[in-house]
Amino acid sequence: MDLKALKKQESKRKISKGYMWALFCAVFWGIWYLPGTVVWVLNPFDEMYGAIAEAGGDGTALIITAVLITAFNALTVMLALMLWNGVLGKFGELVRTMKEFHPCSKWFFLASIFGGPMAILGSFIAMGFIGGAFAAVAALLYPVVGSILAYYWYGEKISKRAAIGIGVIIVGGITIFGGGLLTELSSGSVQWIGYLGGLMAAAGWGIEGAIAGKGLDISEPDVGLTLRFVGENIIWWIIIVPILALVGYPMYSFALQAFEPLTLLVLIFAGITFGFCYVCWYKSFPLIGVGRGQGIGNLYGLFAIIFIFLFFGDVPDWTILVGGALCMIGSFVMFTEDTSELETLRGD
Amino acid sequence: MSGNRPIKFRILELLLDGKEHWNYEIVSRIQKEYDMQGNYNRDSINFDIIELASGGMLKDVEQKVDEAGIYKKGFLLHKYVITDFGKARSSDACLRFV
């Protein structure tokens, strides 16, 4: 084979690998909404919600319970990732990267602030208040935030075609999001706190991706991502949960009850799917860029709806089907991009 | 000798001399410094170089087919040079010009 053909083949392989990671991310992310929705009706979270609601009202109960669920989610994700790094033999690199706080790991800790207390907490709030399908599609708008930040902040190129694809995906997201909202508006009872949770998810994940890119430039994704979840665990278990316990919420008594077989199983399932969705997400960025990685990863919205339909039997509205189809088309527009444009993602 | 900085930092450091380097030269040097033998580690280090290049920090300036099997027979070998963006990111990462 001659040089030119080999070069083309290699570049193609790299880009298809990047898209493959992004697609796996979408599947794992979509599945995550199953344990994320189920965990709300399991003890101790169900009892916790009831106990706090009696004293402080539904809204407070939901947020406090969401904090404990998110904290456990962060814990199981971190354990899954530690195992992953062990398998890859990357503990040495993990320690080396963690030590480089100023140039590198600070970006992962900063990303964890937006990813954890903003995006993941927002998602759990949306799941608890409105439902898994809504939580999934509400966050579909995050690539807008991510792509715009990546463009202005470190000059990542967004080709015309990628922009069109991202645009179509966003229109799809708005269709899904708007459909549910309009129905609720006409019936007169809108769960605003749930919608706020959806917006927190969209903004938080967009910002997280753009910030994490700064640290990913100069580190390995498997390692960077584990550090990002170490950061999130510090935020929940060392800062927020103790503060809430001090204020008087029964955080520890309910946290200790989480060690029931079924609850543990669901939490571990959440940890594995979410952990690997992140592994795939972060791996796709250096290969195809933050904007594209997020765009394809966005297919999770569709996967979530399919899985929720299959496992819970919830039949989606027509707006969800139309929106989901638009998401597929948008991703396909990005998929079929001429690969030569992708050889370098950023300007010199 | 075992390296004490993250591998990508060290790769950038090696390229900060501004000269062109073949990927197999960098890979085998990192393998030695970090005591990472075997094909799995070789590919993993090479993937770090690919990521740095697609991030715009290194530029792929020359390729040749590995006829003799010095790295991976029948595959492409790449020659890289650091870009201005790579130099800027390296200085953010507290690396110095040698």
Side-chain angles (χ1 to χ4, degrees), chain A residues 278-322:
Chain A
Y278 261 85
V279 165
C280 300
W281 205 40
Y282 274 62
K283 276 205 188 287
S284 77
F285 292 164
L287 291 170
I288 53 176
V290 173
R292 288 183 202 86
Q294 291 186 340
I296 297 297
N298 237 16
L299 284 173
Y300 83 87
L302 193 68
F303 288 120
I305 288 166
I306 293 171
F307 293 132
I308 285 168
F309 172 69
L310 288 177
F311 285 87
F312 302 147
D314 294 340
V315 181
D317 293 330
W318 69 269
T319 46
I320 287 178
L321 297 176
V322 171

Side-chain angles (χ1 to χ4, degrees), chain A residues 103-257:
Chain A
C104 190
S105 52
K106 71 170 175 195
W107 295 111
F108 299 124
F109 290 114
L110 197 62
S112 72
I113 295 172
F114 290 97
M118 199 166 170
I120 303 180
L121 180 67
S123 292
F124 277 115
I125 289 174
M127 276 184 253
F129 249 85
I130 303 183
F134 167 75
V137 295
L140 277 171
L141 292 172
Y142 79 93
V144 196
V145 182
S147 301
I148 292 170
L149 280 177
Y151 177 77
Y152 282 107
W153 199 9
Y154 40 86
E156 181 163 305
K157 287 181 209 160
I158 300 173
S159 71
K160 216 182 214 169
R161 194 159 177 145
I164 294 170
I166 290 169
V168 175
I169 291 173
I170 290 163
V171 174
I174 293 170
T175 313
I176 306 172
F177 187 88
L181 193 62
L182 284 178
T183 320
E184 283 204 353
L185 276 175
S186 60
S187 72
S189 65
V190 181
Q191 306 268 25
W192 288 114
I193 205 167
Y195 288 102
L196 180 72
L199 283 178
M200 280 165 67
W205 269 321
I207 299 169
E208 178 190 1
I211 292 175
K214 280 289 247 190
L216 271 178
D217 267 358
I218 48 174
S219 67
E220 291 192 352
D222 305 296
V223 163
L225 141 84
T226 309
L227 291 177
R228 174 242 172 276
F229 274 95
V230 168
E232 193 180 325
N233 274 283
I234 292 172
I235 292 172
W236 293 121
W237 294 105
I238 298 182
I239 302 171
I240 297 180
V241 170
I243 287 176
L244 288 175
L246 277 179
V247 176
Y249 290 108
M251 305 306 279
Y252 294 121
S253 58
F254 282 110
L256 288 172
Q257 290 171 40

Side-chain angles (χ1 to χ4, degrees), chain A residues 1-3 6-8 10 13-14 17 21 87-90 93 96-97 99-100 102-104 107 154 213-221 282-283 285-287 342-348, chain B residues 2-9 12 34 36 40-41 44-45 47-48 50-60 63-66 74-78 80 83-85 89-90 92-94:
Chain A
M1 207 184 275
D2 67 339
L3 194 62
L6 257 180
K7 264 162 84 173
K8 211 170 166 182
E10 200 186 72
R13 198 181 297 149
K14 199 166 78 185
K17 219 173 178 177
W21 285 116
V87 171
L88 295 181
K90 285 193 175 173
E93 183 70 5
R96 284 193 288 268
T97 308
K99 281 185 192 157
E100 302 288 342
H102 176 67
C104 190
W107 295 111
Y154 40 86
K214 280 289 247 190
L216 271 178
D217 267 358
I218 48 174
S219 67
E220 291 192 352
Y282 274 62
K283 276 205 188 287
F285 292 164
L287 291 170
L342 277 166
E343 264 177 33
T344 5
L345 292 165
R346 286 177 204 148
D348 284 350
Chain B
S2 180
N4 56 10
R5 301 204 79 184
I7 290 168
K8 283 191 180 176
F9 282 39
L12 285 170
Y34 286 76
M36 293 168 69
Y40 167 74
N41 285 325
S44 158
I45 296 163
F47 195 72
D48 285 340
I50 292 171
E51 286 182 341
L52 286 170
S54 71
M57 280 168 279
L58 305 180
K59 199 172 160 192
D60 191 351
Q63 302 82 28
K64 66 181 181 195
V65 182
D66 187 0
F75 279 76
L76 274 186
L77 298 168
H78 295 264
Y80 295 97
T83 63
D84 288 340
F85 178 66
R89 292 296 283 127
S90 303
D92 288 350
C94 314

